[in-house]
Amino acid sequence: MTRSVSRSTGDVRPHRSSTRLVVWAAVLTSANVVADVVIGSPMMAMPQLLEHFDTDQAAWLNASAMLAGAIWSPLLAKSADVYGKRRVLVATLLLACAGALVCLVAPNSWIFLGGRFLQGAAFAAVFLTVALVMQICTARRAMAMVGLVTSSSSIVGIVEPFLTKPIIDAFGFRGVFAVAAVLAAVAAVGVRLVIPESPVRSAARIDVVGALLLGVGLGAVLAYISLGADRGWLSMAPLLVVGLVALSSWTFHVLRIAEPVIDIRALAGPILLALVTLILAAGSFRSMLQLVGLVAYVPSELGLGYGLGDGEAIATLFGAANLGIAVGGIGAGWLAGRIGPAWPLLAGIVLGAAGTFAMVAGVSAPPLAIACSGTLGIAAGAIGASGYNVATSLAAPERQGTTAGLVSIVVALGSVVFTIAGAEVLKASRVPDVIADGAPVSTAAGVHVYIALAGLLFVLATIPAFTLARSSRRPTRTAQRTG
């Protein structure tokens, strides 16, 4: 049986200083910026990476860090509950720094992928900051802080492309990894010096075997889904087999031990509803971002019934989405401290559905598309922040790290699965011999079916979300009071 152990760290005292809260938020947001940079920035240097390593495997270079994050997450989440959230967050950032340095000097693609595997640990930064906030702040302030630290990094995402491109032009792809290493090191020092350690620990042992089986299983299945469309589903089948065998072994392993890394026997009731909600809603939002990025490069002059130009609106479209994420996440966190997180979660899903269905007209009208992109961003920010708040508020304090990690895993799973499914819809409806900006395009009917399916995911997500909201109560947990 897992026991909760509360330890006095000497750092945690009941402060009410708004200045301290602002500093904490800034430092924790910097950790999440590292995660965004690790996942997103190398994509801007993909042509240079492919040329340097003399490969055409863009999918592997692109997806490697996200897949590594799925492998790292179960182990890091459980370790955070046992050894302390701050300690594991610092270790995670240092791993990301080491990985960036490996990528910086990698002489071949295999060593580069090893560096990306280390960098992928940064994927855990988001849920580790959430779990840490939930234990160093009062319940009301914690929920607002979660919205702030999970969404504010999106503001950086608005300007990041404009900052990264000059670095790539001046230093090549190595500039991206040099910046990533510096950011990770600075964030690690900031967390260690400024953020107090979480006072609640679990006395459970780390189920290393279970963590490895789950991580390998998730990583292999996600790799199959991510890469199968480009390299052939049949040729990638061994990955799927490895993933299914690992996940089956993990399931059998979990049922035989008392303290698994994730106890599937406890995944019932409200926590299961929350996870189902998030996998549907996150998948819909990510798939819509993919569509926005595609139609932005389709000129309306092609006469396909949709199109937003030659890419001139892409920065504005994604800038609106990133700004919306910040607004939605911060707003949902503020509301969660007053009415609970379940209602903002439902509101975000409803807003996401509205923005998605409005894109039926938006794919041929740039101003409406920008408005829809911003709306979807607000929905995504609210869903992300509220999802973490709902799940962690349902978990015992000694399991909040594991629970936050589980949220990140299902969000990644939903994002990969439904994004690939959407891509297959577009592939099945391609217009023969029509190319826009070097890529094949789909029919208007295919685009509209894509949007309808994404909207349907949002509609389905409202069912468990509404059930959660109806049964929810305002948060009253006051175990830790430092905020």
Side-chain angles (χ1 to χ4, degrees):
M1 179 69 70
T2 302
R3 294 185 295 109
S4 172
V5 179
S6 180
R7 301 179 182 177
S8 175
T9 64
D11 295 321
V12 182
R13 296 185 295 272
H15 291 282
R16 297 287 179 179
S17 169
S18 296
T19 301
R20 171 160 295 207
L21 287 173
V22 170
V23 172
W24 287 359
V27 171
L28 292 174
T29 297
S30 72
N32 290 334
V33 169
V34 173
D36 290 346
V37 168
V38 164
I39 300 299
S41 290
M43 288 190 290
M44 295 190 63
M46 192 56 64
Q48 294 90 334
L49 286 169
L50 295 175
E51 180 181 2
H52 178 80
F53 293 117
D54 191 23
T55 179
D56 60 355
Q57 299 301 317
W60 274 111
L61 299 181
N62 181 27
S64 53
M66 177 68 78
L67 299 175
I71 296 173
W72 278 109
S73 292
L75 182 61
L76 292 173
K78 189 66 175 180
S79 297
D81 283 335
V82 175
Y83 299 114
K85 279 71 175 175
R86 182 186 69 178
R87 179 179 297 177
V88 174
L89 178 57
V90 170
T92 295
L93 294 168
L94 292 177
L95 278 171
C97 178
L101 293 175
V102 171
C103 292
L104 183 65
V105 300
N108 57 60
S109 60
W110 290 107
I111 294 177
F112 177 83
L113 288 174
R116 291 293 279 163
F117 177 79
L118 292 176
Q119 267 198 303
F123 180 75
V126 178
F127 69 76
L128 289 173
T129 58
V130 169
L132 189 52
V133 164
M134 295 300 288
Q135 292 191 357
I136 65 174
C137 296
T138 58
R140 178 172 174 175
R141 294 190 179 216
M143 290 188 176
M145 183 79 84
V146 165
L148 187 61
V149 302
T150 58
S151 305
S152 294
S153 59
S154 295
I155 297 176
V156 178
I158 298 174
V159 300
E160 179 189 345
F162 302 100
L163 299 177
T164 302
K165 189 177 185 305
I167 292 173
I168 295 173
D169 292 340
F171 303 103
F173 75 89
R174 288 186 173 87
V176 170
F177 296 100
V179 170
V182 171
L183 288 176
V186 171
V189 171
V191 171
R192 179 61 184 85
L193 295 180
V194 174
I195 306 299
E197 181 58 278
S198 53
V200 177
R201 313 277 180 87
S202 168
R205 293 179 298 175
I206 302 294
D207 175 23
V208 177
V209 173
L212 290 176
L213 287 173
L214 179 58
V216 170
L218 288 171
V221 171
L222 289 175
Y224 174 76
I225 296 170
S226 300
L227 307 175
D230 292 330
R231 302 191 64 188
W233 298 109
L234 189 59
S235 66
M236 301 300 293
L239 268 179
L240 179 62
V241 173
V242 169
L244 293 178
V245 169
L247 290 175
S248 298
S249 301
W250 170 72
T251 303
F252 180 73
H253 175 77
V254 164
L255 298 176
R256 294 178 61 243
I257 64 173
E259 298 175 354
V261 63
I262 293 177
D263 191 353
I264 58 176
R265 294 163 296 194
L267 297 182
I271 186 66
L272 182 59
L273 288 174
L275 296 178
V276 170
T277 300
L278 291 172
I279 198 170
L280 293 171
S284 183
F285 167 69
R286 289 296 172 186
S287 66
M288 285 303 296
L289 276 188
Q290 174 178 255
L291 182 68
V292 167
L294 293 174
V295 300
Y297 288 96
V298 177
S300 59
E301 291 79 8
L302 290 177
L304 296 171
Y306 71 94
L308 297 175
D310 294 313
E312 64 273 8
I314 190 71
T316 304
L317 288 165
F318 282 106
N322 281 319
L323 181 60
I325 289 171
V327 171
I330 294 170
W334 181 82
L335 284 173
R338 287 153 178 80
I339 63 174
W343 287 107
L345 175 62
L346 177 60
I349 292 170
V350 172
L351 190 62
T356 297
F357 288 121
M359 274 298 290
V360 170
V363 291
S364 57
L368 180 57
I370 293 169
C372 290
S373 187
T375 300
L376 285 166
I378 294 173
I383 291 165
S386 301
Y388 280 113
N389 277 329
V390 167
T392 52
S393 66
L394 292 170
E398 67 273 12
R399 293 182 179 273
Q400 286 176 335
T402 301
T403 302
L406 187 57
V407 169
S408 285
I409 290 171
V410 300
V411 166
L413 183 62
S415 299
V416 172
V417 170
F418 294 120
T419 297
I420 296 297
E424 290 300 301
V425 170
L426 295 179
K427 185 185 297 185
S429 59
R430 282 179 179 170
V431 180
D433 303 322
V434 177
I435 301 295
D437 201 53
V441 298
S442 302
T443 64
V447 170
H448 292 155
V449 168
Y450 186 115
I451 294 171
L453 291 175
L456 178 61
L457 291 178
F458 270 127
V459 171
L460 291 175
T462 62
I463 299 172
F466 181 70
T467 304
L468 278 172
R470 286 198 62 183
S471 62
S472 67
R473 295 180 179 179
R474 289 185 57 181
T476 58
R477 182 174 54 82
T478 55
Q480 305 303 325
R481 299 177 177 275
T482 65

